[in-house]
């Protein structure tokens, strides 16, 4: 699993989904204004604190759109901002290491804060290195409901699934969130 790419994919989708861009969730955390506000409370880890908050807002909006109700022993519903517990733990371990490399991420964060709705979906390719084939795949999909695009359920999630979980957001429109998801056995 390429956790650096996962982080970038989440970053672009979370930033684009904010109120002043595509309006999928009520947030303005991943902007220059958000950076200013987070610098007050998190001076050494500002962009990582911002992304944690931005990802959480996106996760809650996606959970709500899918009406996720965890069932003990049942399948796990996954989307870009909620993967299996094992993948989320591994992602957090990597993310914690990156906090020691703030300069390596500085350009990526600045590019995300500066995104505009007009850059969607090209920002996925340019900033997050999404395979353009995933975008073509998404353009051929039809959501099953007004808010959900179900992918084929895999045995285990791989990088290709992550790219489709990202690209599937293209089925949405400004102000209308469509969440791509899949289910895996617990």
């Amino acid at each position: 699993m390429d956790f650096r790419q996962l982080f970038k994919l989440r970053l672009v989708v979370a930033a684009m989904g904010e109120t002043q861009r595509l309006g999928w969730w009520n947030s303005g955390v991943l902007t220059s204004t958000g950076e200013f506000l987070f610098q007050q409370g998190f001076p050494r880890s500002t962009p990582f604190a911002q992304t944690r908050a931005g990802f959480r807002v996106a996760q809650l909006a996606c959970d709500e759109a899918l009406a996720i109700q965890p069932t003990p022993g049942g399948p796990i519903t996954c989307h870009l901002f909620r993967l299996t517990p094992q993948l989320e733990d591994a992602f957090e371990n990597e993310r914690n290491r990156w906090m020691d490399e703030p300069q390596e991420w500085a350009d990526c964060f600045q590019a995300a804060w500066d995104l505009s709705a007009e850059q969607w979906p090209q920002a996925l390719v340019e900033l997050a290195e999404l395979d353009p084939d995933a975008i073509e795949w998404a353009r051929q999909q039809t959501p099953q409901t007004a808010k959900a695009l179900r992918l084929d359920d895999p045995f285990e999630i791989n990088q290709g699934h992550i790219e489709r979980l990202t690209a599937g957001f293209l089925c949405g429109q400004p102000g209308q969130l469509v969440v791509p998801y899949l289910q895996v056995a617990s």
Side-chain angles (χ1 to χ4, degrees), residues 13-89:
V13 173
M16 288 306 245
E18 290 194 322
T19 306
Q20 68 277 24
R21 294 180 185 111
L22 296 175
W24 293 336
W25 32 82
N26 187 14
S27 172
V29 172
L30 301 175
T31 63
S32 296
T33 303
E35 181 179 30
F36 174 77
L37 295 172
F38 273 78
Q39 281 175 341
Q40 310 313 307
F42 304 95
R44 293 182 48 174
S45 62
T46 300
F48 288 102
Q50 277 179 268
T51 55
R52 183 181 295 273
F55 294 175
R56 181 70 173 143
V57 168
Q59 178 192 39
L60 292 172
C62 292
D63 286 353
E64 182 179 331
L66 296 174
I68 290 179
Q69 298 291 327
T71 343
I76 300 169
T77 300
C78 299
H79 54 75
L80 182 63
F81 297 97
R82 178 186 294 282
L83 300 174
T84 64
Q86 298 85 354
L87 284 174
E88 290 295 343
D89 287 346

Side-chain angles (χ1 to χ4, degrees), residues 66 137 141-144 147-151 168 171 178-181:
L66 296 174
W137 168 86
Q141 302 306 304
T142 303
Q144 290 82 6
K147 295 183 177 184
L149 172 67
R150 183 168 182 167
L151 281 62
C171 293
V178 171
V179 182
Y181 75 100

Side-chain angles (χ1 to χ4, degrees), residues 87-105:
L87 284 174
E88 290 295 343
D89 287 346
F91 175 77
E92 273 305 304
N93 288 338
E94 289 295 312
R95 185 186 162 287
N96 288 337
R97 285 189 213 130
W98 303 333
M99 291 175 65
D100 294 331
E101 316 167 347
Q103 290 307 342
E104 184 174 324
W105 289 92

